[in-house]
Each structure stands twice: as structure tokens, then as C-alpha cells.
Amino acid sequence: MLQVSREEEYLFMGKRRRLVEQLKGKGITDQKVLSAIEKIPRHLFFDDSTARPALLDHAYSDKALPIGAGQTISHPYTVAYQSELLAITAGEKVLEIGTGCGYQTAVLCELGAKVFSIERQRSLYEKSRQFLPMIGYRSPKLMFGDGYKGWPLYAPFDKIIVTAAAPYLPEDLLRQLKVGGIMVIPIGEGETQQMTWLKRTGETAFDRKVLGGFKFVPMLQDKQH
Ligand code: SAH
């Protein structure tokens, strides 16, 4: 993990406050989401080998940045937007697909969710499993596996968030959503994908809203060792 001095820590707090102001300017209003982002040390989540030079300049700018294994941490705006759409209340069971570096996982924890998160890249899974407890997040359950299959053992979930672009709606995830539950998932295979909000209104009934273009790394099939 990166070692950061007290002065840097202070600087980062200021940067986080400014990031929160930017997110408000872009339309994020959920106070709990904004407080989570103000609190979580995003600069500690990057790939150590690439982080140092980029760290001070970019950790709290609204950018997607490398986290290793060819993957990226989502833009803070995207994290905030998806989190807001989930409308989490404390104690809800939330399934996340694409743990990555665990930043979104930490946001979900701060919102009081019981978090279950799946990652298909072993190195990222291992890193997050070790790192999240080191900064105080001991409760999320992490799994190395294929998110297309969900996590039947803990289903059904109140909320499901997918943080990689899916070419279609994964059947297993729909099945593992509670009636009344919400899923937020970017759908599409092109340059940009459509953020999609779904609410399960009955055994086979879903409300659906398509909310505009975002850029995610693709949701891939099967685990990668
Ligand atoms: N939530 C992450 C975003 C990481 S990018 C963060 O805050 O850092 C998306 C992640 O989804 C990548 O780590 C990628 O490896 C993972 N992913 C892609 N397809 C997947 C699948 N089928 N199952 C689980 N994880 C997947």
C-alpha cells in the first residue's frame, strides 16, 4: 500500500472536498453518497506501480485511472451516479459485479449496505481482499468468480450494481434480484454504453429506464486466473 505523509493526507482532504463540489455541480444530490466520497481515500486504491506520478494530480480529478490487470477504477462521477441510482438504505444486501480495486465496494459499505462483490481477475480479487480490511472495510464478502452467474448462495439481493459493460442483461442477475429490488447496469458493446436502471416489480415484471451514455471496460465471461 502507498505510504502517505500527514501533509499529503491533509492535501487529499481538501482535494476530496473539491471533488464533492464538482460532483454536486454535475447533479449528484444524495448527501450520503457525497459524504462517502468525501471520506474514502481514493488515492490509496490505485495500482502501486503506476500510482505515484499520477497520484497528486489525478486521484481526485473526475477521471478513470489504472488499477492493474488492464482495468480502470471508474470516474468518481460514475461511482456517485450509480450509487445514487441504487437508493441504498442501511442493512440492504447489495451485489456488486466487478470489485476491481474495491473503491465502489467501499462506497457501498459507507452507505450501510451488506456488500457481496465478485471479481473475475484473480490479481484484483486478491489485492482488494487484502487492501479493504487494511483501510477499515472488513465486512464486504468478496468472491473470485464470474459475475454473469451472480452469487446464488446469498441471493436474493435488494440491489445489484454492475461496474463493467454487459452486452445484454444477465439472466442470473435478474433472477437474483428481489421483487421490489433495483439493478443498475451499463449495457452495450460499442464505445459507450447505456446506463440502465431496472426495478423488479413482480416475478417476471421489470420497469426499465435508459439513462444515457457511459464508458466502462467490458464485462467478460468466465474467471481469469
Ligand atoms: N468497481 C470497480 C470498477 C472496476 S472496472 C472499482 O471501483 O474499481 C470493472 C471490473 O469488472 C474489472 O475489475 C473487471 O475485471 C471486472 N469484470 C469484468 N467482467 C467481469 C465478470 N464477468 N465478473 C466479475 N467481474 C468482472
Side-chain angles (χ1 to χ4, degrees), residues 45 67-69 71-74 79 96-105 118-121 124 143 145-149 163-165 216-222:
F45 286 75
I67 54 172
Q71 303 302 316
T72 52
I73 184 173
S74 300
V79 173
E96 177 189 27
I97 308 302
T99 316
C101 66
Y103 180 72
Q104 172 76 68
T105 316
I118 306 176
E119 172 56 54
R120 71 177 285 281
Q121 296 252 17
L124 291 173
M143 172 165 84
D146 178 4
Y148 278 97
K149 302 191 175 87
T163 70
F216 283 84
V217 296
M219 183 173 176
L220 302 171
Q221 301 279 350
D222 300 328

Side-chain angles (χ1 to χ4, degrees), residues 119-137:
E119 172 56 54
R120 71 177 285 281
Q121 296 252 17
R122 188 178 274 287
S123 58
L124 291 173
Y125 158 75
E126 291 291 352
K127 211 155 118 187
S128 294
R129 194 171 61 93
Q130 287 170 23
F131 173 67
L132 284 169
M134 282 166 67
I135 58 163
Y137 299 104

Side-chain angles (χ1 to χ4, degrees), residues 95 97 146-150 160-162 164-177 183-188 196 198 200 206 208 219-221:
L95 176 66
I97 308 302
D146 178 4
Y148 278 97
K149 302 191 175 87
I160 299 180
I161 173 172
V162 179
Y168 54 85
L169 278 171
E171 280 265 335
D172 283 323
L173 297 185
L174 292 176
R175 212 172 296 127
Q176 291 173 31
L177 188 63
M183 171 150 80
V184 177
I185 176 170
I187 305 243
T196 307
L198 290 149
R200 186 169 192 172
F206 291 85
R208 183 179 181 144
M219 183 173 176
L220 302 171
Q221 301 279 350

Side-chain angles (χ1 to χ4, degrees), residues 138-152:
R138 283 172 199 85
S139 62
K141 286 199 190 304
L142 306 185
M143 172 165 84
F144 170 54
D146 178 4
Y148 278 97
K149 302 191 175 87
W151 202 336

